[in-house]
């Protein structure tokens, strides 16, 4: 088929197809073919001629001559219709509606042809006007042409309006009513609108005066150049003679070429020797050889030398080989070097030829052992000076505005290093891309705009270029903003700060008021990019106020984030310390922003920059850290009084997180204190182990100048634990003391606050090292846990010891967890604290909080469970009864594998404990595991353990066990598996209701009754089958209503309501028990009902 198609395509041509369509009067198909061919750049002459002639669309054949039943009249188009041929009914719905599509196609084609005709006429008129223009008297005497009259009328009307002669302008318009004075295109010329009459007059006067001066200047140049032409003619004759002499010299050298052939034969027998070299040198000095001759001689000589060397390689081993040391009598091999710089010179076009001998190169000339650098000790190089530290941190902050390097940014950045010729080449390279992809690749214009804005002489043109550059993108994305930032920085490098302020300021400021938030982001990014190119006083005034405005009034969070990052860069280059308070207020405003994105940028960028500034002013402790310590103290007091006062917990967590980001700069202040720095060793083998930096700007290794410096300083701090440095003393006596006071005021209902305290203390310990933590920080906490010997029980009961406070989890998870050396201390401390609190009958909330915080890390699960298994064998029951609750804390964070292998067997062991209180503690743990676990195996195993507490007859009459079971069922009834609820929970709940009715103890019966009502209130809002409702729920509620009326009358109405709802739902079920609406059915033999949600049809019977 494909071969046949190719043969048909080759046989028929477009002309044949066009003729067939036109012969059969398939005009619309022919028009579509003609249009598609034009779109593909293939114009068919037959179709073009046909559709270009309007006469083809009016039939010339009378209707009488047409064949019967064939209409030969093609409906006229409006372009060829006249009043005498216009049919008023042609556009009616029952007229020629069949041919409407054909008329539309023909009309579109004629419209395109009319547009082409208008364009060609305008172009012809413009060309004729340019050719006819001139200043001759004959041309001025010709009558005015129509298009010229329109141009002059337009300029006169424009001039009258500019001079406020409105009445005259209106009269002038009425007198020339055939012209539209509001549209310049009505003139009919393809040229831009000319300037006004006044400007044309001024230009004429200027050109007239300038032309006179210019003509006189040209006359003087003509006279001067005439004498130069005569001198050049004489010089030309001299060079012609020299050329003839050189031609004779070339003929002479051809004859000497034969002599050089004999020289090559000699060279083939022996190596190229110094005699040949000296001969060539003398020959080159005495005669002017052309460069090609000399190159040929040297090339032949080198080839012959190479051939000779290959022949020597084939000789016996007795001769010296390549790479061996030559003997004293050997002659070194020559190497030829050509320097042909005389080609084309006017002095005979001589060529310089020079030769050098290959001599062995001594490697000692290139490498000197004495120059190899040695480690002179980093402490002597001044790396710990504040200026050096500040410079290093400035470089780190500048990385925030690092622009992604692309092809475009590389071209823009290299503009400051290019010459004007290179810039011209760049324009030639960029313009083709602009022509082809102007719509999608507008950034290709940036190099040209930067060049024009930098080097053009006209200030207005430069301003226009800057305006186009700043508005080239309406909504610039990340890459487009990078290109614009690179263009702005390059402009600043090329023109300096003064011109930058004069010409760029206006366009820069306008970005702040732009409707597009992307362009407002660009305004903030420009502030950071130009901070190093602007005067110091300008940074602390204009830039700071601009970013302040952007941060205060901006609604889009990404723009505020950009302002925060730019402010972080600006802060490092503001030298006016009086501006610190203003920047500090801006920081607090950013940290309290409603957007988490802005808050995160403020913590990771702006807060480190201001901490560095405060460190340079020696105000880090006094201003920054003291502020947050005071705020934390205030928040913890509010928490201790109100136990979760609205907003106090969130504010406390907020301030603790902010203080955490200040810790690295606090460590810098401690490690660079004079006492620590003076004791640092130049070289150390100390193994550095630092916590992960909260952000790249706060990498302590980078802040201290490298890992070697950091290791040496931390080792010095470890050794000088008795240091009396002011920074160390302030850390111990003020910082940690204030934190401990705040910790003691926090309650256990704020786990987020406890976690943040643990994170903060742990980071401080990991930065300062094990020795410092063990000797300086740990004793501060242990002091809080001391119990007076004489009044121990009273002190613990009255919370006069830290063992019953949040200090316990903070000490365990903040200090003991920070180093592996403290792992044994974790086990012993938890064990001793639990035994102590249990012995004194105190609350164990501190141990529960510590175990819960430790369980958040999987690495601690094995240690905790081994500790709890050990405590499960403690002889005192009062200690063992706390174990199930601690196991539940571990189970919340444990994975399924660990839960199945370790926790469930341990709970099974605890459920068989000899003391009933321990068994009761297992019940809520099992219920929570069944409700939250997604593993069927875990739920099944927990269900088996739970059944024992309900089905065991020995526990059936234990009141505490019943209450524990009912409380657990109330909390987990809606969360457990549906099968477990139907097969176990509902039937046993009915049994407990029935047994409770026969209980004689009024107190226990009342407690159980109230617990049953709470359980049923949760149960009735679960999916249940109609069979379960009728068999267990309704009977259970009937038993319960009798007890409620006697023992808890306040709950009677609640139980009655539940009974009515369940009875109503049972009535709405068909006899077959099949619901009429789609419901989630767990078993095919049962119909599940949902209270208040599902409706069933009543039985017709």
């Amino acid at each position: 088929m494909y071969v046949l198609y190719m043969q048909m395509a080759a046989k028929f041509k477009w002309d044949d197809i066009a003729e067939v369509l036109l012969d059969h009067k398939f005009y619309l198909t022919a028009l579509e073919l003609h249009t598609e061919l034009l779109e593909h750049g293939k114009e068919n002459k037959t179709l073009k001629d046909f559709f270009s002639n309007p006469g083809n669309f009016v039939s010339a054949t009378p209707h009488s001559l047409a064949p019967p039943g064939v209409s030969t009249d093609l409906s006229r188009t409006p372009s060829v219709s006249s009043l005498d041929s216009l049919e008023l009914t042609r556009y009616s719905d029952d007229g020629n509606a069949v041919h409407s599509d054909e008329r539309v196609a023909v009309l579109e084609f004629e419209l395109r042809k009319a547009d082409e005709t208008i364009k060609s006429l305008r172009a012809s008129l413009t060309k004729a006007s340019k050719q006819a223009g001139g200043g001759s008297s004959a041309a001025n005497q010709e009558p005015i042409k129509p298009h010229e009259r329109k141009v002059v009328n337009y300029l006169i009307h424009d001039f009258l309006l500019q001079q406020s002669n409105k009445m005259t302008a209106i009269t002038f318009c009425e007198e020339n009513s055939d012209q539209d004075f509001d549209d310049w295109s009505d003139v009919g010329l393809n040229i831009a609108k000319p300037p006004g009459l006044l400007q044309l007059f001024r230009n004429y006067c200027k050109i007239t005066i300038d032309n006179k001066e210019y003509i006189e200047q040209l006359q003087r140049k003509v006279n001067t150049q005439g004498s130069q032409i005569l001198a050049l003619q004489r010089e030309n004759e001299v060079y012609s003679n020299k050329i003839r002499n050189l031609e004779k010299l070339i003929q002479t050298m051809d004859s000497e070429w034969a002599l050089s052939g004999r020289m090559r034969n000699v060279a083939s027998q022996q190596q190229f020797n110094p005699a040949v070299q000296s001969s060539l040198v003398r020959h080159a000095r005495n005669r002017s050889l052309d460069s090609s001759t000399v190159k040929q001689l040297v090339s032949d000589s080198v080839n012959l030398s190479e051939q000779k060397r290959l022949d020597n390689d084939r000789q016996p081993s007795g001769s010296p080989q390549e790479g061996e040391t030559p003997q004293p009598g050997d002659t070194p091999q020559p190497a030829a070097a050509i320097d042909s710089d005389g080609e084309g010179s006017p002095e005979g076009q001589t060529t310089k030829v020079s030769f050098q001998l290959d001599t062995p190169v001594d490697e000692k000339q290139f490498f000197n052992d004495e120059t190899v650098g040695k480690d002179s000790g980093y402490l002597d190089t001044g790396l710990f000076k504040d200026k050096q530290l500040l410079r290093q941190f400035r470089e780190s902050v500048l990385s925030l505005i690092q622009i992604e390097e692309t092809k475009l940014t590389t071209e823009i950045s290299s503009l400051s290093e290019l010459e004007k010729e290179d810039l011209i080449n760049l324009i030639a390279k960029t313009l083709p891309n602009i022509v082809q992809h102007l719509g999608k690749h507008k950034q290709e214009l940036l190099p040209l705009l930067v060049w024009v804005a930098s080097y053009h002489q006209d200030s207005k043109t430069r301003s226009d270029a800057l305006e186009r550059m700043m508005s080239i993108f309406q909504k610039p994305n990340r890459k487009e903003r990078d290109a614009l930032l690179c263009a702005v920085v390059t402009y600043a490098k090329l023109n300096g700060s003064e011109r930058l302020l004069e010409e760029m300021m206006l366009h820069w400021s306008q970005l702040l008021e732009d409707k597009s938030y992307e362009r407002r982001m660009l305004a903030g990014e420009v502030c950071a990019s130009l901070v190093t190119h602007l005067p110091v006083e300008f940074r602390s005034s204009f830039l700071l106020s601009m970013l302040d405005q952007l941060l205060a009034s901006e609604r889009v969070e990404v723009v505020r984030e950009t302002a925060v990052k730019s402010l972080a860069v600006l802060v490092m280059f503001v030298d006016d310390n009086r501006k610190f308070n203003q920047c500090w207020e801006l920081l607090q405003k950013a940290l309290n922003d409603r957007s988490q994105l802005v808050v995160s940028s403020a913590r990771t960028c702006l807060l480190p920059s201001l901490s560095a500034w405060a460190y340079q002013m020696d105000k880090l402790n006094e201003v920054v850290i003291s502020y947050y310590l005071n705020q934390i103290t205030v928040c913890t007091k509010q928490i201790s009084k109100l136990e979760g006062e609205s907003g106090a917990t969130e504010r406390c967590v907020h301030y603790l997180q902010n203080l955490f980001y200040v810790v690295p700069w606090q460590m810098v202040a401690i490690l660079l204190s004079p006492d620590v720095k003076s004791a640092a060793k130049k070289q150390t083998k100390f193994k550095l182990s630092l916590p992960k930096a909260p952000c790249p700007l706060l990498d302590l290794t980078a802040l201290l100048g490298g890992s070697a410096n950091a290791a040496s300083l931390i080792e010095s701090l470890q050794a000088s634990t008795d240091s009396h440095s002011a920074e160390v003393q302030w850390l111990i006596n003020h910082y940690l003391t204030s934190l401990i006071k705040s910790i003691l005021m926090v309650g256990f209902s704020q786990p987020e606050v406890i976690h943040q305290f643990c994170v903060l203390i742990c980071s401080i310990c990991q930065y300062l090292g094990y020795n410092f933590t063990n000797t300086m920080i740990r004793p501060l906490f242990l002091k809080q846990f001391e119990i007076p010997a004489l009044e121990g029980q009273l002190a613990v009961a009255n919370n006069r010891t830290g063992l019953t406070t949040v200090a316990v989890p903070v000490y365990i998870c903040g200090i003991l967890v920070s180093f592996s050396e403290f792992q044994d201390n974790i086990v012993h401390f938890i064990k001793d604290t639990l035994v102590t609190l249990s012995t004194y009958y105190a609350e164990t909330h501190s141990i529960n909080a510590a175990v819960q915080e430790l369980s958040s890390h999987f690495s601690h699960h094995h240690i905790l469970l081994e500790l709890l298994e050990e405590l499960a064998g403690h002889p005192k029951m009062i200690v063992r009864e706390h174990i199930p609750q601690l196991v539940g804390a571990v189970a919340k964070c444990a994975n399924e594998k660990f839960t199945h292998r370790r926790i469930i067997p341990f709970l099974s062991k605890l459920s068989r404990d000899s003391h009933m209180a321990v068994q009761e503690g297992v019940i809520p743990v099992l219920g929570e595991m069944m409700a939250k676990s997604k593993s069927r195996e875990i739920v099944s195993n927990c269900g088996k353990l739970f059944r024992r507490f309900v089905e065991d007859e020995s526990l059936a009459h234990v009141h505490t066990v019943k209450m524990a079971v009912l409380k657990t069922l109330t909390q987990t009834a809606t969360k457990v598996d549906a099968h477990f609820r139907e097969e176990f929970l509902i039937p046993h709940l009915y049994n407990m209701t029935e047994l409770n009715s026969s209980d004689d103890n009024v107190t226990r019966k009342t407690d159980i009754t109230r617990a049953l009502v709470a359980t049923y209130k949760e149960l009735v809002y679960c999916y249940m089958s109609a069979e379960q409702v009728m068999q267990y729920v309704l009977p259970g509620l009937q038993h319960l209503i009798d007890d409620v009326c006697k023992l808890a009358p306040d709950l009677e109405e609640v139980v009655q309501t539940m009974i009515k709802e369940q009875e109503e739902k049972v009535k709405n079920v068909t006899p077959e028990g099949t619901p009429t609406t789609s419901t989630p059915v767990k078993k095919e033999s049962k119909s599940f009902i949902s209270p208040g949600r599902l409706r069933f049809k009543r039985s017709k019977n």
Side-chain angles (χ1 to χ4, degrees):
M1 288 297 293
Y2 179 74
V3 175
L4 180 60
Y5 172 76
M6 294 301 295
Q7 292 176 356
M8 293 293 292
K11 180 178 180 180
F12 294 101
K13 298 182 179 179
W14 293 117
D15 291 333
D16 299 335
I17 298 174
E19 290 177 359
V20 171
L21 293 175
L22 295 177
D23 291 342
H24 291 79
K25 293 182 171 45
F26 295 145
Y27 296 132
L28 185 57
T29 307
L31 179 59
E32 292 179 356
L33 175 62
H34 179 48
T35 304
E36 292 182 358
L37 288 176
L38 289 176
E39 290 176 354
H40 291 79
K42 300 177 181 179
E43 186 176 28
N44 185 264
K45 189 175 183 303
T46 303
L47 295 175
K48 178 183 177 183
D49 295 341
F50 178 81
F51 288 107
S52 299
N53 184 8
N56 292 328
F57 301 100
V58 180
S59 177
T61 304
H63 291 276
S64 60
L65 299 179
V70 178
S71 176
T72 60
D73 183 17
L74 182 63
S75 298
R76 285 186 172 186
T77 62
S79 60
V80 297
S81 296
S82 59
L83 289 175
D84 59 342
S85 61
L86 183 62
E87 297 178 12
L88 298 179
T89 60
R90 61 183 301 184
Y91 297 108
S92 61
D93 293 337
D94 55 351
N96 294 331
V98 180
H99 304 288
S100 60
D101 293 338
E102 298 180 0
R103 289 201 299 272
V104 169
V106 174
L107 286 173
E108 290 177 351
F109 174 75
E110 289 188 353
L111 180 61
R112 289 197 298 270
K113 296 296 294 181
D115 290 339
E116 293 176 0
T117 304
I118 292 172
K119 291 180 181 179
S120 62
L121 290 175
R122 290 174 67 95
S124 302
L125 184 59
T126 303
K127 184 177 180 181
S129 298
K130 292 181 178 179
Q131 293 176 354
S136 63
S137 59
N140 294 332
Q141 293 175 0
E142 293 180 1
I144 187 169
K145 298 178 181 180
H147 67 277
E148 294 175 340
R149 182 177 59 82
K150 286 189 176 183
V151 173
V152 174
N153 289 346
Y154 187 90
L155 295 176
I156 293 173
H157 179 265
D158 191 31
F159 175 77
L160 292 174
L161 291 178
Q162 291 177 359
Q163 300 302 319
S164 300
N165 298 326
K166 297 182 180 179
M167 295 300 297
T168 308
I170 294 173
T171 305
F172 186 74
C173 289
E174 293 176 352
E175 292 176 349
N176 298 275
S177 58
D178 59 336
Q179 182 176 352
D180 184 4
F181 290 96
D182 294 329
D183 186 9
W184 166 254
S185 61
D186 184 66
V187 174
L189 297 178
N190 290 337
I191 60 175
K193 176 183 173 182
L197 289 177
L198 181 60
Q199 185 66 28
L200 290 174
F201 172 74
R202 291 173 177 173
N203 291 341
Y204 174 78
C205 296
K206 182 179 179 181
I207 292 171
T208 304
I209 297 172
D210 294 342
N211 282 346
K212 292 181 179 179
E213 298 176 355
Y214 182 66
I215 291 172
E216 295 176 357
Q217 185 179 0
L218 286 179
Q219 189 64 35
R220 290 193 296 269
K221 287 185 178 180
V222 169
N223 297 334
T224 304
Q225 291 179 356
S227 59
Q228 292 179 354
I229 291 173
L230 295 176
L232 290 174
Q233 290 177 351
R234 290 193 294 269
E235 188 176 356
N236 187 27
E237 294 177 359
V238 175
Y239 283 122
S240 299
N241 295 331
K242 289 184 178 181
I243 291 173
R244 288 192 291 271
N245 295 333
L246 289 174
E247 290 176 351
K248 294 179 181 179
L249 180 61
I250 291 173
Q251 295 177 358
T252 305
M253 294 305 299
D254 290 338
S255 61
E256 293 179 355
W257 181 253
L259 179 61
S260 64
R262 291 195 295 271
M263 293 172 61
R264 289 195 299 272
N265 293 333
V266 174
S268 62
Q269 298 176 2
Q270 60 181 4
Q271 290 185 350
F272 196 60
N273 52 50
V276 178
Q277 174 193 350
S278 60
S279 175
L280 280 173
V281 171
R282 287 194 304 272
H283 194 77
R285 290 176 180 175
N286 295 333
R287 298 181 180 271
S288 298
L289 296 177
D290 62 323
S291 59
S292 61
T293 303
V294 176
K295 290 179 181 178
Q296 184 64 32
L297 286 173
V298 175
S299 176
D300 293 341
S301 300
V302 173
N303 292 336
L304 292 173
S305 299
E306 182 66 17
Q307 183 65 31
K308 185 64 176 177
R309 187 185 64 79
L310 293 175
D311 294 337
N312 291 337
D313 291 342
R314 302 188 187 99
Q315 293 178 359
S317 59
S319 60
Q321 300 296 326
E322 183 179 0
E324 297 180 358
T325 305
Q327 298 300 324
D330 294 343
T331 302
Q333 298 296 325
I338 304 299
D339 183 13
S340 56
D341 58 352
E343 185 174 351
S345 67
E347 298 298 328
Q349 300 181 352
T350 59
T351 302
K352 297 180 181 179
V353 184
S354 61
F355 292 89
Q356 292 180 345
L357 296 178
D358 268 338
T359 58
V361 179
D362 189 3
E363 294 183 355
K364 293 182 179 180
Q365 295 176 358
F366 297 94
F367 301 96
N368 188 358
D369 296 337
E370 296 178 359
T371 62
V372 178
K374 298 180 179 179
D375 188 5
S376 57
Y378 65 93
L379 293 176
D380 298 333
T381 61
L383 288 177
F384 294 133
K385 295 180 179 179
D386 291 348
K387 292 183 179 180
Q388 175 70 12
L389 177 64
L390 179 61
R391 183 164 61 253
Q392 292 176 355
F393 188 71
R394 278 181 176 178
E395 295 176 357
S396 300
V397 174
L398 285 175
S399 65
L400 294 174
I401 58 172
Q402 185 176 2
I403 298 175
E404 181 182 359
E405 184 176 356
T406 61
K407 176 184 176 182
L408 181 61
T409 56
T410 304
E411 288 184 356
I412 297 175
S413 301
S414 62
L415 289 177
S416 57
E417 303 174 359
L418 296 179
E419 299 296 335
K420 289 187 177 181
E421 295 181 359
D422 296 327
L423 289 175
I424 295 174
N425 294 334
L426 180 60
I427 294 173
K429 174 184 176 182
T430 311
L431 281 177
N433 293 330
I434 298 175
V435 175
Q436 297 177 7
H437 308 289
L438 184 59
K440 297 182 180 179
H441 300 274
K442 291 182 179 180
Q443 62 269 23
E444 299 288 346
L445 286 171
L446 288 177
L448 299 179
L449 292 173
V450 173
W451 182 79
V452 173
S454 301
Y455 293 110
H456 204 279
Q457 300 299 324
D458 184 18
S459 60
K460 186 179 183 304
T461 304
R462 295 198 302 268
S463 178
D464 293 342
L466 287 175
E467 182 179 0
R468 293 190 184 95
M469 182 177 72
M470 300 303 290
S471 61
I472 190 171
F473 303 113
Q474 296 300 321
K475 293 183 178 181
N477 55 29
R478 175 72 268 173
K479 291 185 178 180
E480 291 170 347
R481 290 199 303 274
D482 285 345
L484 280 174
L485 291 176
C486 188
V488 171
V489 172
T490 304
Y491 176 83
K493 291 179 181 179
L494 293 173
N495 299 279
S497 60
E498 182 177 355
R499 187 166 162 188
L500 179 67
L501 295 177
E502 292 178 358
E503 301 185 1
M504 176 68 76
M505 184 61 59
L506 177 62
H507 309 291
W508 182 8
S509 304
Q510 290 175 350
L511 293 175
L512 290 175
E513 306 298 332
D514 198 275
K515 295 181 180 179
S516 172
Y517 76 88
E518 292 90 349
R519 292 174 60 78
R520 298 198 297 274
M521 286 179 63
L522 179 64
E525 292 172 345
V526 170
C527 293
S529 300
L530 294 181
V531 68
T532 57
H533 301 279
L534 294 172
V536 177
E537 61 277 5
F538 190 81
R539 301 172 192 167
S540 56
S541 59
F542 180 79
L543 289 186
L544 191 58
S545 62
M546 179 181 289
L547 293 176
D548 188 0
Q549 175 186 352
L550 204 60
L551 188 60
S553 61
E554 183 56 48
R555 296 183 179 180
V556 182
E557 62 177 7
V558 291
V559 182
R560 299 199 301 275
E561 180 198 16
T562 302
V564 169
K565 290 183 178 180
S566 299
L567 188 60
V569 178
L570 176 63
V571 161
M572 296 311 302
F573 295 91
V574 174
D575 296 337
D576 188 0
N577 292 336
R578 295 173 298 180
K579 297 291 184 180
F580 180 84
N581 292 334
Q582 181 181 356
C583 296
W584 179 257
E585 293 176 0
L586 292 176
L587 170 64
Q588 300 310 316
K589 186 185 300 182
L591 289 173
N592 295 322
D593 194 272
R594 60 184 179 275
S595 171
Q596 190 60 35
L597 187 66
V598 179
V599 174
S600 178
S601 297
R603 283 176 180 158
T604 58
C605 302
L606 185 54
L607 182 56
S609 295
L610 277 175
S611 300
W613 192 359
Y615 168 74
Q616 291 299 318
M617 296 189 301
D618 294 328
K619 292 184 177 180
L620 182 63
N621 297 335
E622 177 185 352
V623 177
V624 180
I625 298 178
S626 296
Y627 170 79
Y628 287 120
L629 289 177
N630 295 334
Q631 294 297 326
I632 291 170
T633 303
V634 172
C635 292
T636 51
K637 287 181 180 179
Q638 295 176 354
I639 292 174
S640 63
K641 293 179 181 179
L642 302 177
E643 277 297 325
E645 181 264 338
S646 177
T649 301
E650 291 76 9
R651 289 197 303 273
C652 188
V653 172
H654 175 74
Y655 291 128
L656 285 170
Q657 291 175 344
N658 296 343
L659 188 59
F660 171 74
Y661 281 87
V662 185
V663 170
W665 272 108
Q666 185 183 10
M667 297 301 108
V668 170
I670 294 174
L671 295 174
L672 295 184
S673 60
D675 294 345
V676 178
K677 186 169 64 175
S678 60
K681 299 179 182 179
K682 296 181 179 180
Q683 295 182 353
T684 179
K685 296 182 180 179
F686 180 77
K687 185 178 179 180
L688 187 64
S689 178
L690 295 175
K692 183 180 179 181
C695 65
L697 292 180
L698 294 177
D699 187 0
L700 186 62
T701 302
L703 293 177
L704 296 176
S707 57
N709 298 350
S712 179
L713 289 170
I714 294 177
E715 184 185 28
S716 173
L717 181 66
Q718 302 280 358
S720 58
T721 53
D722 57 346
S723 172
H724 298 286
S725 170
E727 296 289 342
V728 175
Q729 294 299 324
W730 192 88
L731 173 72
I732 301 298
N733 299 329
H734 185 77
Y735 184 87
L736 291 175
T737 303
S738 178
L739 283 180
I740 290 175
K741 290 180 180 179
S742 299
I743 290 170
L744 294 175
M745 289 187 289
V746 176
F748 294 101
S749 59
Q750 289 83 29
E752 302 90 354
V753 179
I754 299 174
H755 174 73
Q756 290 301 326
F757 270 117
C758 294
V759 172
L760 178 62
I761 297 298
C762 183
S763 66
I764 295 173
C765 295
Q766 290 179 341
Y767 277 122
L768 295 175
Y770 170 75
N771 290 336
F772 189 92
T773 301
N774 192 34
T775 57
M776 303 294 289
I777 300 179
R778 189 182 174 198
L780 295 176
F781 282 84
L782 292 177
K783 185 179 179 180
Q784 307 298 324
F785 303 143
E786 295 178 355
I787 301 176
L790 299 178
E791 49 182 8
Q793 184 174 358
L794 185 62
V796 174
N798 295 332
N799 292 331
R800 286 186 293 169
T801 176
L803 291 177
T804 57
T805 64
V806 177
V808 172
V810 174
Y811 171 71
I812 295 174
C813 302
I815 296 177
L816 299 184
V817 171
S818 57
F819 298 100
S820 59
E821 290 83 353
F822 290 141
Q823 184 170 344
D824 294 337
N825 299 85
I826 297 175
V827 176
H828 295 306
F829 182 79
I830 293 177
K831 181 179 179 180
D832 296 341
T833 303
L834 181 61
V835 172
T836 301
L837 294 177
S838 302
T839 303
Y840 290 120
Y841 297 95
E843 296 290 342
T844 59
H845 296 307
S846 58
I847 294 298
N848 293 338
V851 172
Q852 186 173 354
E853 185 68 23
L854 283 174
S855 299
S856 60
H857 301 280
F858 178 75
S859 58
H860 300 143
H861 291 176
H862 294 277
I863 301 174
L864 289 173
L865 203 62
E866 290 176 359
L867 171 63
L868 296 177
E869 288 174 349
E870 181 182 353
L871 289 173
H874 198 277
K876 293 184 178 181
M877 176 274 303
I878 198 171
V879 176
R880 299 197 310 273
E881 67 179 2
H882 297 291
I883 303 303
Q885 187 176 4
L886 300 179
V887 176
V890 178
K892 290 180 181 179
C893 304
N895 56 32
E896 294 181 359
K897 183 178 180 181
F898 186 81
T899 302
H900 180 68
R901 291 187 177 183
R902 299 290 302 275
I903 295 179
I904 292 179
F906 185 46
L907 288 175
S908 177
K909 178 181 177 182
L910 293 176
S911 66
R912 295 188 296 270
D913 191 89
S914 59
H915 198 275
M916 190 61 62
V918 180
Q919 299 183 31
E920 292 173 8
V922 177
I923 295 174
V925 177
L926 292 174
E928 187 172 4
M929 292 176 64
M930 286 189 296
K932 293 185 177 181
S933 178
K934 297 180 180 180
S935 173
R936 291 188 176 181
E937 188 176 6
I938 293 176
V939 173
S940 176
N941 293 333
C942 292
K944 292 178 181 178
L945 293 177
F946 193 84
R947 285 172 181 269
R948 176 183 173 275
F949 294 100
V950 179
E951 298 175 351
D952 193 348
E953 296 181 358
S954 61
L955 302 176
H957 300 285
V958 180
H959 179 69
T960 55
V961 173
K962 288 183 178 180
M963 291 298 298
V965 169
L966 288 175
K967 288 181 180 180
T968 303
L969 292 178
T970 303
Q971 296 174 357
T972 61
T974 59
K975 301 175 183 178
V976 296
D977 184 71
H979 291 284
F980 178 79
R981 184 169 54 242
E982 285 205 354
E983 295 176 1
F984 171 78
L985 192 153
I986 295 177
H988 284 84
L989 188 63
Y990 168 74
N991 295 334
M992 294 178 69
T993 306
E994 191 176 13
L995 290 174
N996 185 57
S997 301
S998 59
D999 196 348
D1000 297 333
N1001 191 311
V1002 177
T1003 304
R1004 292 184 301 184
K1005 187 175 182 180
T1006 302
D1007 294 339
I1008 297 296
T1009 299
R1010 291 184 174 275
L1012 286 170
V1013 172
T1015 305
Y1016 271 110
K1017 284 175 64 177
E1018 297 294 329
L1019 185 64
V1020 294
Y1021 289 100
C1022 301
Y1023 286 104
M1024 293 179 292
S1025 65
E1027 180 183 351
Q1028 291 286 329
V1029 173
M1030 290 184 291
Q1031 185 174 357
Y1032 295 110
V1033 178
L1034 280 176
L1037 290 174
Q1038 293 293 343
H1039 285 293
L1040 188 61
I1041 190 63
D1042 298 336
D1043 297 335
V1044 167
C1045 293
K1046 299 176 183 179
L1047 304 175
D1050 56 309
L1051 299 176
E1052 181 179 359
E1053 184 178 357
V1054 176
V1055 179
Q1056 289 287 359
T1057 303
M1058 288 190 290
I1059 293 174
K1060 291 180 180 179
E1061 290 179 354
Q1062 299 303 316
E1063 289 177 348
E1064 182 69 20
K1065 292 166 188 173
V1066 172
K1067 292 179 181 179
N1068 291 338
V1069 179
T1070 59
E1072 293 80 8
T1074 303
T1076 59
T1077 58
S1078 59
T1079 58
V1081 179
K1082 296 296 182 178
K1083 296 182 179 179
E1084 295 180 1
S1085 61
K1086 297 181 180 180
S1087 303
F1088 289 90
I1089 60 176
S1090 175
R1093 296 182 182 178
L1094 301 180
R1095 296 291 182 266
F1096 301 88
K1097 291 184 178 180
R1098 296 181 180 270
S1099 175
K1100 295 182 180 180
N1101 299 327

